[in-house]
Amino acid sequence: MPHQEFAPGLQVQGFTPPLRLSQFKLIAFDMDSTLINIECVDEIADAVGLKEEVAAITEAAMRGEITDYKESLRRRVALLRGVTVADMELIYTSRLELNPGAEALVKACKAAGLKTLLVSGGFTFFTDRIRDRLGIDFTRSNVLEIESGPNCGQLTGRMVDQPWGDICDGAEKRKMLLETCSQLGISPKQAIAVGDGANDLPMMGEAGLSVAYHAKPRVREHAMVAINQGGLDRLLEVIRS
């Protein structure tokens, strides 16, 4: 079914707006280029002069041209060796911004009683701060390994395995969405999933409402709502409180 233009820069398919927020109990967000304005791994790479190289891999992964997301992330993280925690702190304070409408959408969802989930192929250094800033209920993302000893405070170029697995990729995002729904005692059809890249498609496919935000063409094609212009809070034009 093709998208219909609901309003300028806002397309829908598979349902007739408006829906009501009260129909849903959970909203899940990707972070990089969805809740926030940057791809963190690309900006970290800038600290060692490799942004262009890393960004090219990121872009291919987000378009779905790289089938092994985990391997693509390992390749990118390996190039980050030697970046310091101070470098990452500077990225957070000087480059990272919430995308327009992010705070308004999260606030509206929380006011309507929805729980919030942040699932990211990015890193806990940033997701923990966004979690605290927005009051997100649940998160899952990757941990960058940091040197101890003489090079204390520098990245090793590796990630740390976690109790749930090694890397938060598309399959892990889907798994976390389903686990959170089970924990809350709700159906995945009572969840909304918002993302922009190919690794968001598995969780978007499980959710009752899938939302593409300024997304890659493949993601827009599969989403029930495509926000192509304006902020995240444009979702509130098709789903009312």
Side-chain angles (χ1 to χ4, degrees):
M1 182 184 298
H3 281 97
Q4 296 179 322
E5 194 82 2
F6 178 73
L10 186 63
Q11 297 177 313
V12 301
Q13 68 173 340
F15 73 101
T16 302
L19 299 175
R20 301 203 69 83
L21 271 176
S22 58
Q23 294 174 234
F24 300 94
K25 302 298 181 186
L26 174 70
I27 185 165
F29 294 98
D30 170 51
M31 183 178 73
D32 293 31
S33 298
T34 301
L35 271 183
I36 66 172
N37 65 320
I38 60 173
E39 292 286 338
C40 291
V41 67
D42 299 355
E43 300 305 320
I44 298 170
D46 197 26
V48 284
L50 293 171
K51 181 175 181 178
E52 189 173 334
E53 182 176 346
V54 169
I57 302 171
T58 301
E59 180 68 14
M62 292 302 99
R63 287 196 304 259
E65 295 168 4
I66 295 176
T67 53
D68 190 339
Y69 178 86
K70 288 187 178 185
E71 183 55 33
S72 83
L73 187 59
R74 289 190 187 98
R75 281 170 56 198
R76 285 175 280 166
V77 169
L79 295 170
L80 306 182
R81 184 174 182 179
V83 173
T84 67
V85 172
D87 290 329
M88 294 197 293
E89 190 66 44
L90 187 61
I91 291 163
Y92 179 76
T93 57
S94 66
R95 300 189 189 185
L96 186 152
E97 297 176 3
L98 293 173
N99 269 330
E103 285 183 288
L105 178 56
V106 170
K107 184 178 179 180
C109 289
K110 293 175 75 169
L114 280 72
K115 294 295 186 182
T116 49
L117 167 64
L118 175 56
V119 276
S120 174
F123 312 111
T124 52
F125 183 90
F126 300 100
T127 56
D128 286 356
R129 287 162 169 78
I130 298 302
R131 174 199 64 200
D132 295 345
R133 191 164 162 183
L134 292 175
I136 299 288
D137 296 299
F138 308 99
T139 63
R140 180 152 293 178
S141 59
N142 303 304
V143 178
L144 291 166
E145 186 178 62
I146 298 172
E147 294 271 13
S148 55
N151 295 319
C152 181
Q154 293 185 5
L155 299 184
T156 66
R158 296 185 297 270
M159 288 170 283
V160 179
D161 287 354
Q162 299 180 72
W164 49 261
D166 55 355
I167 289 175
C168 186
D169 61 354
E172 189 60 38
K173 289 186 177 192
R174 174 184 176 274
K175 178 184 165 193
M176 183 59 177
L177 176 76
L178 295 175
E179 285 181 357
T180 305
C181 288
S182 177
Q183 182 179 338
L184 295 173
I186 64 172
S187 162
K189 298 309 174 189
Q190 293 174 286
I192 303 167
V194 188
D196 75 301
N199 64 331
D200 297 314
L201 286 171
M203 72 167 179
M204 290 169 68
E206 295 289 347
L209 186 69
S210 54
V211 182
Y213 179 70
H214 293 237
K216 305 305 179 206
R218 183 177 162 203
V219 182
R220 290 199 306 268
E221 178 187 338
H222 288 281
M224 296 169 69
V225 178
I227 302 171
N228 303 321
Q229 297 173 19
L232 280 162
D233 55 344
R234 293 207 68 191
L235 182 58
L236 300 174
E237 294 177 37
V238 297
I239 179 168
R240 309 283 169 78
S241 56

